[in-house]
């Protein structure tokens, strides 16, 4: 799949519906835009789990070396993936990808009790195995707790997309801020003001000052 990345770049990723997993080359997962993350959420939702799968023999598609199971943490959420020992990328299950992106949260005790009143057997979202709610609330195959999709994160991404779609007006005070930035730099270097050529190499100080001013303006405008 070719997806939109941050700052307008394209990100080409690999996925296997049978394995219920993605392959991300190095840093590709971090480069996904909000829209692309939601698109992958939709892709996962269109491909349901079909039973337990064994990933122990997975190999890197770049160097064919065996992949190493790795545990990581995003904020307070733990997730796992299989990484290439030569740092070519990582193989991550759909469920673990959702955990990494903070889409998943485990059910609390009250929610589990309510679920038991209506359902006896559920499928594990992580590996697809059956979970007997009368026997417990953790998958006997992969040890993953019963979890649900937390809609707060998708809603936050949608809000981010709506915000990005709104045209941002140019701050009328920006030229004044740029002029003030140049003045501040000139004051800093007033001992050599007579010999500074702002069109030459010494202008790098002004450029940095202007960039800082623009960055502050963009931050106030809500752009990242």
């Amino acid at each position: 799949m070719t997806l939109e990345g941050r700052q307008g770049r394209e990100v080409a990723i690999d996925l296997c519906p049978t394995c219920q997993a993605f392959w991300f080359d190095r840093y590709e997962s971090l480069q996904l835009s909000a829209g692309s993350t939601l698109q992958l959420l939709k892709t996962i939702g269109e491909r349901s789990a079909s039973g337990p799968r064994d990933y122990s023999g997975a190999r890197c598609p770049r160097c064919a070396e065996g992949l190493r199971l790795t545990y990581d943490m995003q904020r307070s959420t733990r997730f796992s993936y299989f990484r290439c020992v030569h740092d070519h990328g990582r193989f991550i299950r759909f469920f673990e990808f959702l955990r990494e992106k903070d889409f998943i949260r485990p059910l609390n005790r009250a929610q589990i009790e309510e679920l038991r009143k209506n359902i006896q057997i559920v499928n594990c979202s992580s590996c697809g195995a059956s979970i007997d709610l009368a026997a417990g609330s953790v998958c006997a195959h992969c040890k993953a707790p019963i979890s649900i999709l937390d809609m707060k994160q998708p809603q936050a991404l949608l809000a981010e997309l709506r915000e990005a779609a709104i045209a941002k007006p140019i701050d009328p005070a920006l030229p004044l801020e740029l002029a003030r930035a140049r003045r501040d730099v000139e004051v800093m270097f007033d001992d050599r003001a007579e010999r500074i050529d702002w069109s030459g190499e010494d202008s790098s100080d002004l450029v940095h000052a202007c960039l800082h001013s623009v960055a502050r303006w963009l931050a106030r405008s809500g752009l990242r």
Side-chain angles (χ1 to χ4, degrees), residues 206-221:
L206 175 62
V207 170
H208 284 296
C210 291
L211 285 174
H212 284 306
S213 181
V214 171
R216 290 194 299 270
W217 170 69
L218 291 176
R220 288 200 306 273
S221 299

Side-chain angles (χ1 to χ4, degrees), residues 102-129:
D102 227 13
F103 282 114
I104 297 294
R105 66 176 176 84
L107 292 176
N108 58 40
R109 183 175 300 178
Q111 290 171 325
I112 292 173
E113 290 300 325
E114 185 64 27
L115 187 63
R116 283 175 175 151
K117 295 177 182 178
N118 303 287
I119 302 175
Q120 286 72 48
I121 302 292
V122 296
N123 290 330
C124 175
S125 301
S126 178
C127 70

Side-chain angles (χ1 to χ4, degrees), residues 124-151:
C124 175
S125 301
S126 178
C127 70
S130 296
I131 302 176
D132 185 354
L133 293 179
S137 59
V138 175
C139 176
H141 182 76
C142 70
K143 310 304 179 186
I146 299 175
S147 303
I148 60 172
L149 185 68
D150 188 344
M151 288 307 300

